[in-house]
Amino acid sequence: MKKTQLVLNQVKNVAGIVMVVASLALMQACGSDNKNESRTEDAIENTGDAIKADTKDATAEAKADMEDAKDKMDAKADEVGDDFKRERDEAVADMKVQRDKLDTKIDELKAKMDKQSDKAKAESKEQMAKLEQERKELGQDIDKAQNATAAAWKDVKAGFKQAGRNISNAFDKAGDKLDNN
């Protein structure tokens, strides 16, 4: 945006210079006794050539600036894409660790259920069902994360944070039940 503004200012300056030169040439032509008429025509012609050259230079400079800006934007986009992929891969790895912990907790609960009273087994079965539901949802979240685009990543990431809190709460409740029985 700044480069475009710079080009516009340059074009304005060139246009102003042309107007001043043209005004001077016309004033000289009006005050002449027709002896210097060819000199005035030459001056106007030379001014036109100078304007064309300045415009051509300004255009070339603007194109070069735009190419530089495009290259910088492309480099930044690549960097953001790399950051997104790295962050996504880390999140998926963390979720897989959570899934493994959840599987371990489910296995522990199943093993302890055999030794519990009927009432405790009923409560443990409820906890088991919750943990298994959390496990299922975590598996779905892992699939979403692995397939998430950069545009959707922020929304997906927010959902993972909430799911992580839910899983943590489920672990705590299941652990409390096991400790009490």
Side-chain angles (χ1 to χ4, degrees):
M1 193 66 156
K2 290 180 182 180
K3 293 179 184 184
T4 305
Q5 195 71 342
L6 179 64
V7 171
L8 288 175
N9 286 339
Q10 289 176 345
V11 170
K12 286 179 184 179
N13 289 339
V14 170
I17 292 170
V18 169
M19 292 179 81
V20 170
V21 171
S23 297
L24 291 173
L26 288 174
M27 284 179 28
Q28 185 180 5
C30 290
S32 76
D33 55 0
N34 291 331
K35 293 180 184 173
N36 294 327
E37 193 168 306
S38 64
R39 250 183 31 196
T40 303
E41 289 174 358
D42 288 345
I44 291 173
E45 201 173 294
N46 289 340
T47 302
D49 291 343
I51 291 171
K52 287 179 185 174
D54 286 346
T55 303
K56 187 177 181 180
D57 290 345
T59 302
E61 188 176 317
K63 284 182 181 178
D65 290 344
M66 288 173 61
E67 285 295 321
D68 288 345
K70 181 187 176 296
D71 291 344
K72 288 178 183 176
M73 285 176 40
D74 289 344
K76 190 64 175 175
D78 290 344
E79 183 180 316
V80 168
D82 290 344
D83 287 346
F84 150 71
K85 289 176 186 171
R86 178 191 46 75
E87 187 178 75
R88 182 184 65 186
D89 292 345
E90 287 174 3
V92 168
D94 288 344
M95 286 188 293
K96 287 181 178 178
V97 168
Q98 282 184 340
R99 182 186 61 196
D100 293 344
K101 287 180 182 178
L102 191 54
D103 288 341
T104 301
K105 198 69 154 177
I106 289 170
D107 291 343
E108 288 175 5
L109 188 57
K110 284 180 183 177
K112 290 185 179 183
M113 280 176 55
D114 292 337
K115 301 172 189 173
Q116 294 177 333
S117 68
D118 289 340
K119 182 180 178 185
K121 279 184 183 181
E123 290 176 12
S124 293
K125 284 183 181 180
E126 287 178 28
Q127 289 299 319
M128 178 74 72
K130 288 179 184 177
L131 288 174
E132 287 174 345
Q133 180 61 32
E134 292 291 332
R135 167 65 167 85
K136 179 181 175 183
E137 290 173 7
L138 183 59
Q140 292 169 346
D141 287 346
I142 290 171
D143 290 340
K144 285 180 189 176
Q146 289 174 329
N147 299 316
T149 62
W153 179 244
K154 287 184 181 181
D155 293 336
V156 171
K157 189 168 62 170
F160 293 152
K161 288 180 181 178
Q162 180 60 38
R165 285 190 288 271
N166 291 344
I167 290 171
S168 178
N169 292 339
F171 276 151
D172 293 342
K173 288 179 184 177
D176 291 343
K177 294 288 183 187
L178 290 175
D179 291 341
N180 291 337
N181 297 319

